[in-house]
């Protein structure tokens, strides 16, 4: 009876050991697997943020490269405009000297002419009082012979013709000098207008460059912050990766320990069953213990059936002229007199009239020689229409530094596209603000 109880106790303990040990391991592994899954999810989020930060860095870099190109373009435009301003100032000084010299010459000629007029008036007065020209008569009457008379008459006629020729020559010269003076003054006024626009443009370009520098700095700051964010996310991802690696190692070690415990339990169960069989054989001779032995044998397989815990596996038309210039928005700069060479066009350097000429050329419309295009030529290039009948593609004119000093292409909705000194090629609002004040009502349909 004592042997029967000993066998029963051993079998029950082994069975309980198998039942209790396996679920404990499974619970620990399940927890770690859950933590691993959470870490993996966190890493996915972090890596997604890293990719977003990288994409933003790429975008910012492209934007910054574009900004650098525009700054270089503006610097080039500013240099060209400064050169033109210096040349204009030199031309103004030279033209002013020419005007002063011409005025002195005109004054001398006027004084000379006045003296000659006085002489002619005196001669005319003497001739009227004496019935003829006294000096000329004395010359003629003082002849000693008919031949001398003829010679003297010819001399007097020559003198009269000479006076008349001198007077006519002087008058022609005076008219010519006055014409030159008017031309020079007109040129001087034009140069003054150019200088006024260049001065204004230089100020605007300086302000634009300052604004662009500020934007470039802002982009650089954003880039630095994004780099910092990216580095932080990468550090977090690295930390999560280490944590995940540690959990994976722990899970592996835990599974190895579970496998070792399972094998130990199986071995213990086998040994217990073997001992139980041996004891049963020894007790087979005693009739009283046979039943107990049979009972123990019946219970032993029942106990061994619990040794293994259940496992589960885890599971170009003309109408297009209003849009062809969009490619230059943000990629151009204003240069007075620019846009009249292929090099300028390649670099996006235009003034208002050359841009209009270029835009129409892209849709197959020739607005005259590129080298001589101006607001003056453009306002005569098509048909004048009322501003109330404006349509996209019409040319619109503004009084800036002079009458019709600026031109653009109407795009509709109260806006026009043109090369502005402050922005380069851009779309501007002509229904309010500065351009509304400057719009003079001139509209030309090509």
């Amino acid at each position: 009876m004592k042997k029967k109880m000993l066998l029963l106790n051993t079998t029950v303990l082994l069975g309980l050991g198998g039942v209790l040990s396996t679920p404990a391991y499974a619970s620990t592994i399940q927890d770690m697997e859950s933590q691993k899954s959470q870490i993996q999810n966190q890493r996915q989020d972090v890596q997604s943020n890293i990719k977003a930060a990288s994409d933003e860095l790429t975008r910012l870099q492209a934007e910054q490269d574009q900004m650098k190109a525009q700054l270089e373009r503006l610097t080039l435009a500013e240099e060209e405009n400064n050169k033109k301003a210096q040349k204009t100032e030199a031309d103004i000084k030279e033209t002013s000297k020419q005007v002063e010299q011409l005025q002195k010459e005109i004054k001398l000629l006027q004084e000379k002419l006045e003296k000659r007029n006085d002489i002619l008036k005196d001669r005319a007065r003497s001739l009227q009082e004496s019935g003829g020209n006294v000096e000329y008569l004395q010359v003629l009457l003082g002849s000693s012979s008919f031949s001398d008379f003829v010679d003297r008459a010819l001399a007097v006629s020559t003198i009269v013709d000479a006076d008349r020729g001198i007077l006519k020559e002087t008058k022609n010269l005076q008219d010519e000098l006055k014409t030159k003076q008017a031309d020079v003054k007109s040129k001087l006024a034009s140069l003054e207008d150019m200088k006024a626009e260049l001065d204004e443009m230089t100020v605007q370009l300086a302000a634009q460059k300052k604004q662009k520098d500020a934007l470039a700095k802002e982009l650089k700051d954003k880039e630095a912050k994004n780099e910092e964010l990216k580095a932080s996310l990468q550090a977090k991802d690295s930390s999560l990766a280490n944590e995940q690696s540690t959990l994976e190692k722990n899970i592996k070690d835990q599974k190895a320990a579970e496998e070792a415990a399972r094998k130990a339990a199986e071995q213990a169960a086998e040994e217990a069953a073997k001992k139980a069989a041996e004891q049963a054989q020894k007790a087979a001779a005693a009739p009283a213990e046979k039943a107990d032995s049979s009972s123990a044998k019946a219970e032993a397989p029942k106990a061994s059936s619990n040794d293994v815990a259940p496992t589960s596996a885890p599971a170009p038309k003309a109408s297009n002229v209003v849009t062809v210039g969009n490619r230059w928005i943000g990629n151009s700069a204003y240069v007075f007199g620019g846009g009249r060479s292929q090099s300028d066009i390649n670099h996006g350097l235009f003034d208002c009239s050359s841009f209009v000429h270029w835009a129409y050329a892209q849709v197959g419309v020739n607005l005259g020689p590129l080298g001589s295009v101006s607001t003056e030529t453009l306002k005569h290039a098509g048909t004048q229409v009322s501003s109330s009948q404006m349509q996209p593609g019409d040319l619109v004119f503004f009084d800036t530094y002079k009458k019709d000093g600026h031109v653009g292409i109407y795009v509709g909705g109260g806006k026009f596209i043109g090369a502005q000194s402050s922005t380069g090629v851009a779309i501007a609002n002509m229904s309010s603000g500065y351009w509304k004040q400057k719009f003079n009502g001139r509209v030309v349909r090509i």
Side-chain angles (χ1 to χ4, degrees), residues 69-88:
Q70 179 66 358
L71 287 173
E72 291 175 359
R73 192 178 294 110
L74 285 171
T75 300
L76 177 61
E78 189 174 24
E79 290 175 355
E80 290 298 319
N81 287 323
N82 285 333
K83 289 178 183 178
K84 291 181 182 295
Q86 292 172 3
K87 184 180 182 303
T88 301

Side-chain angles (χ1 to χ4, degrees), residues 8-55:
L8 181 59
N9 289 338
T10 302
T11 304
V12 171
L13 287 174
L14 289 173
L16 287 175
V19 172
L20 292 176
S21 62
T22 301
Y25 282 118
S27 176
T28 302
I29 292 174
Q30 185 177 5
D31 289 342
M32 287 190 292
E33 289 285 3
S34 177
Q35 292 178 29
K36 176 183 174 183
S37 178
Q38 291 176 4
I39 290 174
Q40 288 174 332
N41 291 335
Q42 290 180 32
R43 286 195 69 193
Q44 288 179 355
D45 292 340
V46 170
Q47 289 169 355
S48 177
N49 291 334
I50 290 174
K51 184 181 183 303
S54 297
D55 291 344

Side-chain angles (χ1 to χ4, degrees), residues 13-275:
L13 287 174
L14 289 173
L16 287 175
V19 172
L20 292 176
S21 62
T22 301
Y25 282 118
S27 176
T28 302
I29 292 174
Q30 185 177 5
D31 289 342
M32 287 190 292
E33 289 285 3
S34 177
Q35 292 178 29
K36 176 183 174 183
S37 178
Q38 291 176 4
I39 290 174
Q40 288 174 332
N41 291 335
Q42 290 180 32
R43 286 195 69 193
Q44 288 179 355
D45 292 340
V46 170
Q47 289 169 355
S48 177
N49 291 334
I50 290 174
K51 184 181 183 303
S54 297
D55 291 344
E56 178 66 8
L57 278 175
T58 302
R59 187 191 69 79
L60 287 173
Q61 186 61 53
E63 189 175 347
Q64 192 173 42
D65 291 342
Q66 184 179 5
M67 185 59 62
K68 288 178 180 177
Q70 179 66 358
L71 287 173
E72 291 175 359
R73 192 178 294 110
L74 285 171
T75 300
L76 177 61
E78 189 174 24
E79 290 175 355
E80 290 298 319
N81 287 323
N82 285 333
K83 289 178 183 178
K84 291 181 182 295
Q86 292 172 3
K87 184 180 182 303
T88 301
E89 290 175 353
D91 289 343
I92 289 173
K93 291 180 180 179
E94 179 61 28
T95 306
S96 298
K97 290 179 180 179
Q98 293 175 9
V99 170
E100 291 177 2
Q101 182 62 31
L102 284 173
Q103 287 173 340
K104 291 179 180 179
E105 292 177 5
I106 289 173
K107 185 177 180 181
L108 290 174
L109 286 172
Q110 286 175 339
E111 292 175 353
K112 193 173 183 180
L113 182 61
E114 287 176 0
K115 291 180 180 179
R116 291 187 179 186
N117 285 339
D118 291 340
I119 293 174
L120 291 174
K121 287 178 182 178
D122 290 341
R123 289 180 178 181
R125 189 181 302 111
S126 298
L127 184 61
Q128 182 180 8
E129 292 175 352
S130 62
N133 190 298
V134 176
E135 293 181 5
Y136 294 162
L137 289 174
Q138 289 176 348
V139 170
L140 293 175
L141 293 175
S143 58
S144 60
S145 65
F146 181 75
S147 177
D148 186 34
F149 173 81
V150 172
D151 290 339
R152 286 172 179 263
L154 289 174
V156 168
S157 176
T158 301
I159 293 171
V160 172
D161 290 341
D163 285 344
R164 187 183 296 111
I166 291 173
L167 180 60
K168 185 178 180 180
E169 181 182 348
T170 303
K171 181 66 169 61
N172 290 340
L173 183 57
Q174 182 185 30
D175 292 342
E176 181 182 357
L177 288 175
K178 284 183 178 179
T179 300
K180 287 183 179 180
Q181 183 184 37
D183 290 342
V184 172
K185 285 185 177 180
S186 175
K187 184 178 179 181
L188 180 60
S190 176
L191 290 172
E192 289 287 359
D193 288 340
M194 291 171 60
K195 184 177 182 300
E197 181 169 279
L198 285 169
D199 288 344
E200 178 183 0
M201 180 182 54
T202 300
V203 172
Q204 290 174 334
L205 281 172
Q208 185 182 25
K209 187 175 184 302
K210 183 177 180 181
Q211 181 182 8
K212 296 292 185 182
D213 287 341
L215 183 56
K217 183 179 182 302
E218 181 181 353
L219 286 172
K220 188 174 181 180
D221 291 343
K222 284 183 179 180
E223 186 177 17
K225 289 181 181 179
N226 212 47
E227 285 284 6
E228 183 180 353
L229 173 61
K230 183 179 177 182
S232 174
L233 289 170
Q234 288 174 332
K236 184 176 181 180
D237 181 62
S238 177
S239 175
L240 288 171
N242 291 335
E243 190 174 347
Q244 179 180 337
S245 177
T246 300
L247 277 172
E248 289 173 348
K249 182 178 182 303
N250 290 342
I251 290 171
K252 182 179 180 180
D253 292 345
Q254 193 71 0
K255 285 183 177 181
E258 177 184 341
E259 181 65 17
R262 187 183 65 78
K263 288 182 179 179
E266 287 179 352
Q267 185 178 0
E270 289 176 359
E271 291 177 356
K274 184 177 180 181
K275 289 181 180 179

Side-chain angles (χ1 to χ4, degrees), residues 325-350:
N326 289 347
R327 59 170 290 194
W328 294 116
I329 295 177
N331 297 306
S332 60
Y334 185 96
V335 172
F336 191 87
R340 287 163 179 78
S341 69
Q342 193 58 47
S343 176
D344 278 358
I345 293 173
N346 291 341
H347 288 88
L349 304 179
F350 296 97

Side-chain angles (χ1 to χ4, degrees), residues 285-421:
E289 294 179 1
K290 188 175 182 180
D292 293 337
S293 176
S294 299
S295 177
K297 288 180 181 179
E299 291 178 1
K302 183 177 180 180
S304 63
S305 65
N306 294 326
D307 291 346
V308 181
T311 59
S312 60
K317 296 177 180 179
S319 59
N320 294 331
V321 74
V322 299
T323 58
V324 293
N326 289 347
R327 59 170 290 194
W328 294 116
I329 295 177
N331 297 306
S332 60
Y334 185 96
V335 172
F336 191 87
R340 287 163 179 78
S341 69
Q342 193 58 47
S343 176
D344 278 358
I345 293 173
N346 291 341
H347 288 88
L349 304 179
F350 296 97
D351 65 8
C352 61
S353 54
S354 66
F355 170 73
V356 169
H357 187 283
W358 174 88
Y360 267 94
Q362 304 313 296
V363 296
V365 179
N366 186 357
L367 295 181
L370 176 60
S372 58
V373 66
S374 67
T375 54
E376 288 297 314
T377 64
L378 290 177
K379 73 181 184 181
H380 299 297
T383 304
Q384 304 278 332
V385 298
S386 171
S387 60
S388 62
Q389 298 176 337
M390 263 193 307
Q391 296 178 2
D394 290 343
L395 304 187
V396 288
F397 291 79
F398 305 85
D399 293 342
T400 51
Y401 71 103
K402 68 174 184 177
K403 181 71 175 175
D404 298 317
H406 187 69
V407 62
I409 302 172
Y410 187 65
V411 299
K415 296 181 179 180
F416 75 96
I417 186 170
Q420 279 70 259
S421 60

